[in-house]
Amino acid sequence: MTEPTTHAAHDHGHGHEGHDDGAHGSVGSYTIGFLLSVVLTAIPFWLIMTKAIPNSGTAAFVVLAFAVVQIVVHMVYFLHMNTKSEGGWNMLALIFTLVLVVILLAGSLWVMHHLNVNMMPMAPHDMRNMP
C-alpha cells in the first residue's frame, strides 16, 4: 500500500515555507561580494607593504576603515542583511549587538583609563616630598 504524495512529504524539513526566496543571493551578487572582498583586502595590504602611508597612525586608521567597509560588504552580499530580511529583526538584532559592543568597549576603556590615572606608581622625585 502506497501513501499519497503531498507537498509536506517533500519538504525535507528545510524550513523554507515562510521565507521570501528573493532574499537568497544569486551567482552575480556572490561574485560582486567576492570581488569587493578581494579588492578591500588587497588595497590595505598594498598600502602597508609599499609603505604608501608613512605615518603609522594614519595607516592604521585607513586599514581599519577598509575593514569596516569589508564587514558591511560581507553582511550585505553574503549574510543578506538588510531592513527587509526576516521582517527587520536581523537589522534590529545587529543594532542591539552594536550598542552592546560600544557600551562594553567604552566602559572598558573608561575603567582602564581611570585605573591608569589613579594607580600609577609615583616617580622617584615625588616620593622624596612625601611626609
Side-chain angles (χ1 to χ4, degrees):
M1 180 166 139
T2 61
E3 295 181 22
T5 305
T6 63
H7 178 66
H10 293 288
D11 185 29
H12 301 292
H14 292 298
H16 292 290
E17 298 88 31
H19 296 287
D20 180 22
D21 288 332
H24 297 288
S26 65
V27 173
S29 71
Y30 283 121
T31 303
I32 291 170
F34 174 72
L35 292 175
L36 285 172
S37 296
V38 169
V39 168
L40 291 171
T41 300
I43 291 173
F45 184 79
W46 175 80
L47 288 173
I48 298 300
M49 292 303 291
T50 61
K51 296 183 183 358
I53 303 173
N55 184 352
S56 63
T58 306
F61 180 75
V62 169
V63 169
L64 287 175
F66 273 97
V68 168
V69 172
Q70 192 168 47
I71 289 170
V72 171
V73 166
H74 282 254
M75 287 177 13
V76 170
Y77 286 98
F78 299 120
L79 298 177
H80 311 296
M81 290 190 74
N82 56 31
T83 55
K84 293 177 229 123
S85 66
E86 299 291 331
W89 286 106
N90 281 345
M91 192 59 66
L92 189 63
L94 173 67
I95 292 168
F96 178 71
T97 302
L98 290 176
V99 167
L100 284 180
V101 167
V102 167
I103 290 171
L104 181 72
L105 288 176
S108 297
L109 291 173
W110 178 73
V111 167
M112 287 188 283
H113 172 73
H114 185 62
L115 288 173
N116 185 40
V117 169
N118 291 319
M119 298 189 74
M120 284 297 293
M122 288 191 277
H125 68 275
D126 292 335
M127 292 177 74
R128 282 180 271 166
N129 298 334
M130 292 200 51

